[in-house]
Amino acid sequence: MGIFRRSPGNPSPNAAIARFWEWWPEVRERLDGGVPEDVAEQISEHVEAMHPDLEWEIGPGPSLTVSGGGVGELRGIAERWYRAAPDDGWEYRAARAADPDMLDGKLQLEDHEFDLSYVKTGLRADARRARVDVTAYHPDFLFVPEETQLALTYRVLDWALGEDDVARWIGNVTVVTGEPMDALPPSMLSAVVQQVAAPFSEPAWLTGEGRTPLGHAARVAVRFPLHRQDHPLCDLYVAVALPYAHANPDRLPVEPSSSALREFEKSIEAMGERAVLAAHESGDGRRVFHLYVDPDSGVVAELDQLAAAWAEGRAKVSSQPDPAWEVLEPYQP
């Protein structure tokens, strides 16, 4: 298996994706017996053109993975590359797949070879956050820098769960040079994650109350858990602010405004995978819907039309690129 990473540059993803797939048939047949050095360099150049921090690897099957390494900002680019792939007998992936068989093998990092059978993990499930915090240990951690310790740990996590499930369910990751209490082999991680994930097979809404900057009552609802990996094309953050005409003394919505707001929300949900409603908050006579949408799907124009038809005041739609979903972070538990 070849694993490659390039240094920063100036990417232009959509055009670079098209160039990659135009070029790919030229070299695909040369990869039957391995990855020649000149082909590896060419693949790296094409992947770097999509984004300098993307990684790629050739595996058995044959297969080609182009991955963001669990970085949310890169997940959409990798997914667009994957969806443009041809049906040519190869397997293409936008994230590293789980490969538990690798957990008993060896991994060369820099000038050190690790026997992965010695990896042990301490696991702490946090049901409130729907995350599993991991403490990782290998006896050779005594002899390598922390950067190498973490590189090994995340590679083991990817093999145990798959890259997307690591991003979904793994919380804090710590490396230690002494074996944790109640240490488990990484092969047990999948069972622990399944237990944590089971109550969240369908996202629910968490609700809370607070005060607006003007001191009035506020209500917030957040979809939880909400994972970037489940909506890989939704790179654009959109806020839709709707004033409502009917409110109680705390300036929170009442009928008939409450029903009108619910109907607007249903219109958003009807957009399917092109948009995901992440949160909404009400107070001071308006509700703000926080969404992530596929910028190439036409959803923003549809939202503009819905907002223009809002009958209870002047609605506002604003948007900004946010492929890492940073705007949503303050709303997460």
Side-chain angles (χ1 to χ4, degrees):
M1 179 186 298
I3 303 170
F4 300 85
R5 188 179 181 99
R6 297 287 296 186
S7 57
N10 294 315
S12 53
N14 292 334
I17 289 170
R19 288 195 299 271
F20 181 97
W21 291 119
E22 290 172 359
W23 163 81
W24 175 245
E26 297 179 12
V27 298
R28 186 181 57 223
E29 301 303 325
R30 294 183 60 194
L31 299 173
D32 290 341
V35 185
E37 184 176 349
D38 64 320
V39 174
E41 181 64 26
Q42 292 175 55
I43 296 174
S44 293
E45 290 174 357
H46 279 276
V47 171
E48 178 183 355
M50 292 186 274
H51 193 285
D53 291 331
L54 286 172
E55 303 169 355
W56 68 270
E57 58 187 55
I58 298 285
S63 66
L64 172 61
T65 300
V66 170
S67 160
V71 178
E73 180 182 358
L74 305 178
R75 189 60 181 82
I77 300 173
E79 185 71 15
R80 287 178 172 85
W81 169 86
Y82 163 74
R83 296 196 183 196
D87 182 7
D88 59 4
W90 276 61
E91 182 177 2
Y92 300 102
R93 304 188 187 104
R96 291 190 180 96
D99 190 356
D101 290 342
M102 294 295 295
L103 298 176
D104 292 322
K106 299 182 187 297
L107 178 64
Q108 183 80 31
L109 289 176
E110 302 297 337
D111 58 354
H112 196 98
E113 183 179 74
F114 293 89
D115 185 338
L116 299 182
S117 65
Y118 288 100
V119 175
K120 301 295 182 183
T121 57
L123 307 177
R124 186 178 70 85
D126 186 340
R128 184 186 66 86
R129 293 164 50 233
R131 295 278 180 168
V132 177
D133 295 329
V134 176
T135 301
Y137 162 79
H138 190 287
D140 290 0
F141 280 177
L142 286 168
F143 312 115
V144 297
E146 183 177 3
E147 180 180 359
T148 304
Q149 297 170 17
L150 286 169
L152 171 71
T153 299
Y154 277 103
R155 185 50 53 89
V156 166
L157 292 176
D158 284 346
W159 282 327
L161 294 175
E163 179 185 312
D164 279 348
D165 270 350
V166 170
R168 288 183 183 102
W169 304 111
I170 298 302
N172 299 320
V173 175
T174 306
V175 291
V176 294
T177 54
E179 185 170 339
M181 294 182 60
D182 302 321
L184 296 170
S187 58
M188 295 297 297
L189 182 57
S190 178
V192 174
V193 165
Q194 287 176 17
Q195 292 177 2
V196 170
F200 303 104
S201 57
E202 294 292 334
W205 287 93
L206 301 181
T207 58
E209 297 185 353
R211 313 298 294 182
T212 72
L214 297 178
H216 300 123
R219 290 179 183 164
V220 179
V222 179
R223 194 182 295 270
F224 179 83
L226 183 60
H227 299 127
R228 173 74 178 90
Q229 293 68 32
D230 295 331
H231 308 277
L233 299 182
C234 293
D235 293 336
L236 185 69
Y237 165 74
V238 180
V240 182
L242 302 181
Y244 45 83
H246 304 276
N248 63 19
D250 287 330
R251 302 194 67 187
L252 293 171
V254 297
E255 295 296 347
S257 293
S258 296
S259 293
L261 291 166
R262 283 194 295 271
E263 290 302 313
F264 194 94
E265 184 174 333
K266 289 179 182 178
S267 297
I268 293 173
E269 293 173 347
M271 295 174 178
E273 67 176 13
R274 298 180 300 153
V276 55
L277 177 60
H280 60 76
E281 50 189 329
S282 304
D284 286 334
R286 72 170 189 165
R287 175 169 293 176
V288 180
F289 293 95
H290 301 278
L291 301 87
Y292 282 90
V293 310
D294 178 355
D296 301 321
S297 67
V299 164
V300 175
E302 294 178 32
L303 289 169
D304 284 337
Q305 292 177 352
L306 286 171
W310 181 250
E312 299 194 22
R314 185 173 181 180
K316 180 180 179 181
V317 179
S318 58
S319 63
Q320 66 183 63
D322 185 19
W325 287 25
E326 294 178 349
V327 172
L328 188 60
E329 289 182 4
Y331 297 89
Q332 296 299 296

